[in-house]
Amino acid sequence: MKRYLFLIFIFQCCSFTYTFGLDSLKKFQSEPLEVTAYKNIPTGETTIYGTDYNSDFLTRNGNFLIRRGMNFTQDIYSDGFRRGDIKVTIDGEQYHTACPNRMDSPASRINPLEMESVEITKSSSQQGAGLYGKIDYHRKSYDENFRLGAYLSGNTMAQQDVDASASISAYKQGLIIRYSGGNPYVDGNGNSFKDLYNYKDNFTYNNLSLSFRGESRDFYYGVSYNSLNDLSFPYLQMDEISSKVLSGFFSFKEHKLYYNHTDHLMDNTFRNSPMFMSSEAKNTTIGLIGKFYEFTFRNWDADNRISSMQGEMPLELRNNMLPDINQIYAGVNYDYDINSIKISGRLSSVYFSIGNKDVMDFYSTLYPDAKDNRIFMTGGLNVMYSTDISQDIRFAANAEAALESPEAEQLFISVRRLMKSPNWSGNPTLAQPVKFGIRSIFDSDYFRLEGFYNHINNYVYINSTMIGDKPYQTFDNIDALIAGVNLAVKYQFFESSLSYVYGENLSSKTSLSEIVPLSIANKITFPEFYGVKTWISHKYENVQFRVDNTLNEIPTEAWNSFGVGLMFNLNSFWIRLDIDNLLDHRYSRYLSFARNPFSSGNRVFEPGRTLRLSLIFDKLFGE
């Protein structure tokens, strides 16, 4: 009964409208009533997509970037959904993570100087989408004229790092190089990673990426390479020692063939620990996509080693953690408009199999009916109605049904651990999630209010169990409810966004894990003065008492953070200055806390006061 009352409350909220003024939110949306929201990335804002990926677009309308360590560790959450529920693509190309704990989150593959726009789709009916949609970045196109671009961004005070990039293009061909490096930050009390998280020292990371793209008539092509080393992840017991990504694509008209390969190594050699842990993972994805179809092949294999020198005899376990998993996806999608009604649909299938059959004995301990392969029918159907209520107010409502497969690691991960540490087992018998969702939107030039309700049958959820005296962490299906409200307001120089999500485990009648609390973001942008644009920003996150105690979640405190900034543009040159966490508060975000296996049990505190100076140059010659 409680969930139905909450549903009524959401749509009552969505029925309330009030006129505040006549400024515009349209710059954040291409078609305001679509499930899809679109934003160009202005040149002057390139650096906020830098190592922090701190875009305003990804901190509003229910979207969040959660820091899990230093730079390049951010992962994306949206309206209570996370991880594989939201796919991250670049021009439709799937970039699967090689680390089962998402050290190499797809969001961290973005080179800001290379991107022109970002598109967020909260629907399973689109090509490349997950259970709750996708975030698709779009690369810039090059023209015939000669163009130079560069940016240099440096942090000081709580963070000590640098991010530099340069690009050159002409005749529709372009080359980009980027380097980033720095030390772990300190929190609002001046504590470093070594002070807080049992590190031997504060280790410097570095990242290097190169990319080339070009086009000729109907042909479009590109290749890129990225190498990231020594990245600290205090929310886990291991760190990213090395992650190398090679990718390329070739397209003709609307048809594109692409390839990417990730080689990822993580271990705990940065930590003070009596035990050694190491995992090496490789992921290869090959895809063929067009306007109405998608085909991908993925191979994922990872080996894990755990050893201890305690006692008289050393102990060691070697695991084929991801046992040569093959994943084949094939799907078609189609959109159809009938006056004020838009129908979007995707129909697809996913096939999983494992190459190492020896691990079947491990799964059968928990699941005697386990098989070494699975096939799922997946897809989504979305029906949206939109209309103009008045000259200033537009309304839309949509309903969606979606089928999705479990993630590969949820089916087939395999990790034996020493002594009383829990083994980590996939569940090859998982049923597939089925989502039913409704959403309503009121939109105008000065505000946007949306309410949503999602009921998910067979939602994949972490489950703990015991076999004898040995604990296991595995996965099971539950029924879940995820609902909420998003509000965005803009009036003259003031803009604000509010998000609230309610999550319930309907199977156990308890709180759903990893649900972000009430969050508010505000920004005041002052009128330009001699070409200088200045602003003040504020972020707030409420306490979160609705936690899943069975998964060792703990309540978190409320926090506030303030920032100031200014930007000056002179022809092709931008200067930007930001101060984040102006009052030097010490706080951690709710979703920064991870659970076993391989979790450290540490909250990841946010950086203290940080001063960032950014210099941006973008010049097109021969116009």
Side-chain angles (χ1 to χ4, degrees):
M1 183 65 182
K2 183 167 57 177
R3 65 177 182 272
Y4 297 112
L5 291 175
F6 185 73
L7 174 62
I8 294 171
F9 166 74
I10 289 173
F11 282 90
Q12 287 294 323
C13 287
C14 291
S15 300
F16 173 77
T17 58
Y18 186 78
T19 301
F20 289 97
L22 293 175
D23 215 329
S24 174
L25 285 178
K26 288 183 178 178
K27 67 179 181 179
F28 296 105
Q29 305 155 25
S30 56
E31 298 179 34
L33 297 185
E34 291 286 352
V35 180
T36 298
Y38 178 92
K39 178 176 170 58
N40 287 314
I41 303 176
T43 301
E45 297 182 10
T46 296
T47 55
I48 64 176
Y49 279 81
T51 54
D52 283 345
Y53 296 91
N54 188 27
S55 164
D56 288 343
F57 195 57
L58 295 176
T59 55
R60 65 171 65 233
N61 198 35
N63 304 307
F64 298 93
L65 278 173
I66 306 301
R67 179 189 291 274
R68 302 169 301 159
M70 48 199 302
N71 294 333
F72 295 102
T73 66
Q74 293 80 357
D75 207 352
I76 291 176
Y77 293 75
S78 181
D79 291 342
F81 291 86
R82 60 274 191 186
R83 300 187 179 91
D85 297 336
I86 311 150
K87 302 295 185 183
V88 178
T89 60
I90 302 177
D91 284 336
E93 301 163 26
Q94 299 273 358
Y95 282 81
H96 294 107
T97 177
C99 173
N101 280 307
R102 294 177 69 88
M103 281 185 173
D104 55 336
S105 165
S108 65
R109 301 180 189 276
I110 308 304
N111 187 337
L113 201 64
E114 193 173 9
M115 299 303 153
E116 181 175 57
S117 62
V118 57
E119 190 173 2
I120 299 179
T121 304
K122 296 182 179 181
S123 171
S124 302
S125 63
Q126 300 298 307
Q127 179 176 283
L131 185 66
Y132 200 65
K134 66 173 180 176
I135 297 178
D136 190 22
Y137 286 87
H138 300 288
R139 300 180 178 98
K140 294 178 181 177
S141 59
Y142 299 126
D143 54 30
E144 294 284 351
N145 295 319
F146 180 65
R147 189 175 202 129
L148 285 175
Y151 82 78
L152 174 66
S153 180
N155 288 320
T156 187
M157 295 185 178
Q159 298 190 75
Q160 303 287 331
D161 52 62
V162 64
D163 189 21
S165 184
S167 67
I168 182 171
S169 65
Y171 305 107
K172 297 186 176 182
Q173 319 292 312
L175 178 68
I176 297 178
I177 183 171
R178 180 190 187 191
Y179 172 79
S180 308
N183 299 316
Y185 58 82
V186 298
D187 67 8
N189 287 352
N191 298 311
S192 69
F193 280 26
K194 181 180 179 181
D195 302 324
L196 293 169
Y197 309 122
N198 199 35
Y199 279 89
K200 297 175 182 177
D201 203 346
N202 296 308
F203 294 91
T204 300
Y205 80 90
N206 62 83
N207 179 75
L208 176 66
S209 63
L210 297 165
S211 67
F212 169 79
R213 285 185 292 115
E215 59 181 294
S216 177
R217 296 184 180 180
D218 294 327
F219 297 95
Y220 185 38
Y221 41 83
V223 62
S224 66
Y225 174 76
N226 189 85
S227 176
L228 180 59
N229 300 290
D230 300 337
L231 195 62
S232 300
F233 273 81
Y235 95 124
L236 292 172
Q237 294 174 348
M238 291 190 281
D239 303 290
E240 187 172 24
I241 304 303
S242 173
S243 191
K244 295 178 172 59
V245 183
L246 176 66
S247 66
F249 68 89
F250 180 85
S251 69
F252 174 71
K253 293 185 176 179
E254 295 180 345
H255 310 280
K256 177 165 64 174
L257 179 68
Y258 69 89
Y259 164 91
N260 57 71
H261 176 79
T262 302
D263 194 336
H264 172 84
L265 173 65
M266 56 181 174
D267 67 31
N268 69 335
T269 53
F270 291 174
R271 316 291 183 96
N272 295 301
S273 175
M275 184 179 299
F276 172 75
M277 296 182 291
S278 174
S279 295
E280 184 172 2
K282 299 180 188 297
N283 183 92
T284 300
T285 302
I286 301 172
L288 178 65
I289 53 176
K291 187 174 182 179
F292 302 117
Y293 69 89
E294 179 177 15
F295 175 86
T296 61
F297 168 79
R298 177 192 188 189
N299 178 262
W300 195 11
D301 190 65
D303 293 315
N304 168 261
R305 176 188 168 196
I306 303 173
S307 59
S308 173
M309 298 302 295
Q310 293 179 311
E312 296 182 359
M313 296 183 62
L315 301 174
E316 182 173 275
L317 289 174
R318 292 182 179 269
N319 300 291
N320 190 192
M321 183 165 62
L322 297 162
D324 193 21
I325 301 173
N326 292 313
Q327 179 179 342
I328 299 174
Y329 172 92
V332 293
N333 63 284
Y334 188 70
D335 296 339
Y336 185 68
D337 293 329
I338 311 173
N339 297 324
S340 298
I341 298 176
K342 180 174 183 178
I343 302 173
S344 302
R346 173 175 61 94
L347 180 64
S348 51
S349 63
V350 186
Y351 173 76
F352 296 92
S353 66
I354 60 173
N356 181 7
K357 313 297 183 184
D358 294 339
V359 299
M360 294 306 299
D361 291 337
F362 176 79
Y363 305 134
S364 62
T365 303
L366 292 174
Y367 309 105
D369 297 330
K371 297 180 181 179
D372 60 17
N373 64 86
R374 293 292 304 276
I375 187 168
F376 300 92
M377 295 301 299
T378 60
L381 178 65
N382 186 287
V383 180
M384 170 167 279
Y385 169 78
S386 60
T387 187
D388 291 335
I389 295 178
S390 67
Q391 185 176 356
D392 298 320
I393 301 174
R394 298 169 291 277
F395 170 76
N398 75 283
E400 179 170 279
L403 294 166
E404 195 52 67
S405 67
E407 293 292 300
E409 67 271 25
Q410 295 169 343
L411 291 168
F412 294 118
I413 199 159
S414 166
V415 181
R416 295 171 300 147
R417 303 187 70 195
L418 296 172
M419 296 173 284
K420 296 296 183 180
S421 298
N423 289 344
W424 189 8
S425 175
N427 180 354
T429 68
L430 284 171
Q432 66 183 123
V434 182
K435 185 195 75 174
F436 300 95
I438 53 177
R439 182 184 302 270
S440 68
I441 304 170
F442 285 92
D443 187 275
S444 76
D445 291 342
Y446 41 84
F447 78 94
R448 178 185 176 96
L449 176 64
E450 66 175 344
F452 57 90
Y453 176 93
N454 297 283
H455 181 102
I456 311 104
N457 294 327
N458 300 326
Y459 195 49
V460 179
Y461 204 66
I462 294 174
N463 181 40
S464 298
T465 188
M466 296 285 292
I467 300 294
D469 60 352
K470 183 65 174 179
Y472 279 76
Q473 181 168 299
T474 182
F475 302 93
D476 203 356
N477 294 114
I478 64 167
D479 293 338
L481 177 159
I482 301 177
V485 176
N486 296 316
L487 171 65
V489 176
K490 179 163 182 165
Y491 175 63
Q492 294 184 356
F493 307 114
F494 173 75
E495 57 185 291
S496 179
S497 63
L498 176 150
S499 296
Y500 176 74
V501 180
Y502 177 89
E504 182 82 2
N505 182 336
L506 300 177
S507 297
S508 63
K509 310 299 182 186
T510 58
S511 301
L512 198 67
S513 70
E514 295 189 69
I515 299 297
V516 70
L518 173 70
S519 301
I520 300 173
N522 302 306
K523 186 176 182 180
I524 298 175
T525 303
F526 299 102
E528 287 193 16
F529 183 73
Y530 288 99
V532 179
K533 180 180 177 182
T534 57
W535 60 88
I536 298 174
S537 61
H538 165 248
K539 294 179 183 179
Y540 167 78
E541 193 170 276
N542 196 17
V543 296
Q544 179 58 287
F545 293 116
R546 289 184 51 79
V547 297
D548 189 338
N549 296 311
T550 66
L551 298 180
N552 297 324
E553 285 194 320
I554 57 176
T556 52
E557 303 83 9
W559 57 266
N560 288 277
S561 179
F562 293 88
V564 297
L566 64 85
M567 184 167 63
F568 175 71
N569 173 224
L570 180 63
N571 297 324
S572 302
F573 189 73
W574 286 259
I575 299 175
R576 181 176 175 129
L577 184 68
D578 295 91
I579 302 179
D580 298 326
N581 195 2
L582 179 65
L583 302 181
D584 210 16
H585 287 159
R586 184 178 192 256
Y587 66 96
S588 64
R589 300 197 63 178
Y590 169 63
L591 290 172
S592 70
F593 185 75
R595 298 173 300 276
N596 274 326
F598 301 129
S599 74
S600 62
N602 293 318
R603 293 191 191 183
V604 180
F605 289 93
E606 295 288 305
R609 183 186 299 116
T610 299
L611 173 66
R612 180 170 59 254
L613 176 64
S614 304
L615 308 175
I616 309 165
F617 176 77
D618 185 38
K619 176 66 174 177
L620 181 64
F621 298 88
E623 288 184 291

